[in-house]
Amino acid sequence: MTGYLTTHVLDTSLGRPAAGLEVVLYRLDESERTELARMRTNDDGRTDRPILPQESFSPGTYELVFMAGAYLRKTGSAGAEPLFLDEVPIRFGMADAQAHYHVPLLLSPYGYSTYRGS
């Protein structure tokens, strides 16, 4: 099996999945940043398919950018402008060409957390 990448976003302030949040995936090669995918989360806070599917997977350095500000504005929990959190970038490496990488985001208007999930 070839590796792949998924994500899941939970809104910890509202206690529910973050539906409709835009997520952008980039591959980083030295000074080059290439957009690979742009998706929105579904009602479960996940994308409908892997954000980096098996047929496109290769080890390397990547960045997921979560468009938190637009989501927080839509839910009415953004707070005053300028927002404390707007775009949330998470840069990470994927070394195992056979692994499932899962990068979740736990989000609130004033903080976030991530980890390598399963």
Side-chain angles (χ1 to χ4, degrees), residues 44-56:
D44 192 36
R46 302 173 187 273
T47 55
D48 288 331
R49 62 187 190 285
I51 196 153
L52 185 62
Q54 291 179 339
E55 61 271 10
S56 302

Side-chain angles (χ1 to χ4, degrees), residues 7-106:
T7 190
H8 187 198
V9 186
L10 297 172
D11 184 329
T12 59
S13 67
L14 297 177
R16 65 182 186 210
L21 191 144
E22 186 175 24
V23 182
V24 184
L25 175 67
Y26 297 93
R27 181 175 174 93
L28 306 172
D29 290 305
E30 296 179 25
S31 63
E32 196 171 320
R33 184 177 186 234
T34 306
E35 183 177 320
L36 300 179
R38 185 176 291 260
M39 298 181 178
R40 287 198 181 274
T41 56
N42 58 25
D43 288 345
D44 192 36
R46 302 173 187 273
T47 55
D48 288 331
R49 62 187 190 285
I51 196 153
L52 185 62
Q54 291 179 339
E55 61 271 10
S56 302
F57 185 90
S58 65
T61 303
Y62 293 84
E63 184 176 71
L64 278 171
V65 179
F66 297 86
M67 303 304 177
Y71 166 80
L72 293 168
R73 286 181 188 97
K74 185 178 76 175
T75 63
S77 58
E81 296 284 343
L83 300 183
F84 183 72
L85 293 175
D86 194 358
E87 294 183 6
V88 175
I90 299 173
R91 190 169 288 183
F92 57 97
M94 296 190 293
D96 185 347
Q98 305 301 313
H100 169 203
Y101 286 86
H102 183 68
V103 180
L105 181 71
L106 306 176

